[in-house]
Amino acid sequence: MLIRTEIGVDAPSIDSLLRRCFASSAEAELVQQLREDGLLTLGVVATDDEGQVLGYAAFSPVTLNGEDKQWVGLAPLAVDESVRGQGLGKQLIYEGLDTLNEFGYAAVVVLGDPAFFGRYGFEPASRHQLRCHRPETEATFQVYKLADEALVGVEGNIEYSTPFNRS
Ligand SMILES: CC(C)(COP(=O)(O)OP(=O)(O)OC[C@H]1O[C@@H](n2cnc3c(N)ncnc32)[C@H](O)[C@@H]1OP(=O)(O)O)[C@@H](O)C(=O)NCCC(=O)NCCS
């Protein structure tokens, strides 16, 4: 399995993976919209020998109190059922964090199960007085600091980009 940054020809295979992995087409449509709107900061794929995408992680910009602080949100993350439990999810997350760190991004947020993302260094955003604008997300909203000072003196509302409001 190869873990690398998404390129143009991966789009149909990513779309197919997301439609297989989630109960609705919302995630696939979200990624299409982010791509169309130029809001895919980074996409990381896991591909097999034939180039088929079996894992995917997307990162797109979020704002803090309406300001661009070079923060991004991780969503969606998906691994094909046939290859789950082999560490692909972990590799996609780490590859994404490494690349974003190299690019100079400051922090990554995620809405997801703390039992999963907590393993990879994400911590509750509420610990830093950070909230997601979506209701009832206090327990699942998490943050990962890339830049040393990213979480110093911050608090407030994180907002995802417009395509997330449609999904
Ligand atoms: C979540 C997902 C990406 C994990 O992919 P993966 O390649 O199996 O992940 P890894 O192999 O790195 O890690 C698997 C481990 O995480 C655990 N895990 C998976 N989902 C979990 C969850 N929601 N909560 C806690 N642990 C979870 C597995 O039990 C496994 O544990 P083990 O290593 O002790 O056996 C995959 O299950 C998936 O695509 N699910 C459907 C889409 C989804 O829910 N995405 C997350 C949305 S934020």
Side-chain angles (χ1 to χ4, degrees):
M1 204 76 65
L2 179 65
I3 309 284
R4 58 165 173 79
T5 299
E6 157 184 2
I7 54 171
V9 293
D10 296 322
S13 197
I14 291 169
D15 192 77
S16 161
L17 172 77
L18 295 175
R19 285 171 199 275
R20 290 198 304 277
C21 288
F22 292 96
S24 87
S25 59
E27 281 78 8
E29 287 162 13
L30 169 67
V31 167
Q32 275 178 19
Q33 194 63 52
L34 289 169
R35 194 180 289 119
E36 257 176 51
D37 293 351
L39 291 169
L40 262 185
T41 307
L42 175 68
V44 183
V45 292
T47 56
D48 66 11
D49 292 346
E50 280 87 49
Q52 195 197 353
V53 176
L54 295 180
Y56 184 59
F59 299 84
S60 60
V62 296
T63 56
L64 172 60
N65 299 323
E67 282 180 50
D68 175 9
K69 296 275 190 190
Q70 296 291 95
W71 287 32
V72 294
L74 162 55
L77 170 72
V79 170
D80 190 82
E81 210 168 354
S82 64
V83 287
R84 282 183 196 162
Q86 299 174 19
L88 272 186
K90 174 183 172 175
Q91 287 183 65
L92 289 164
I93 293 170
Y94 282 159
E95 179 66 22
L97 296 176
D98 268 2
T99 305
L100 291 162
N101 192 33
E102 276 171 32
F103 287 169
Y105 287 90
V108 181
V109 293
V110 73
L111 273 170
D113 194 332
F116 180 70
F117 289 100
R119 298 171 165 214
Y120 308 124
F122 283 82
E123 50 175 331
S126 58
R127 197 179 281 167
H128 301 279
Q129 284 73 50
L130 292 165
R131 294 169 299 276
C132 175
H133 70 289
R134 292 185 164 198
E136 292 163 34
T137 51
E138 194 182 331
T140 54
F141 194 47
Q142 296 153 80
V143 63
Y144 184 97
K145 171 185 76 162
L146 292 170
D148 284 345
E149 304 290 309
L151 301 180
V152 177
V154 298
E155 65 170 293
N157 289 308
I158 303 285
E159 194 148 1
Y160 285 78
S161 59
T162 317
F164 282 86
N165 300 330
R166 294 186 210 133
S167 61

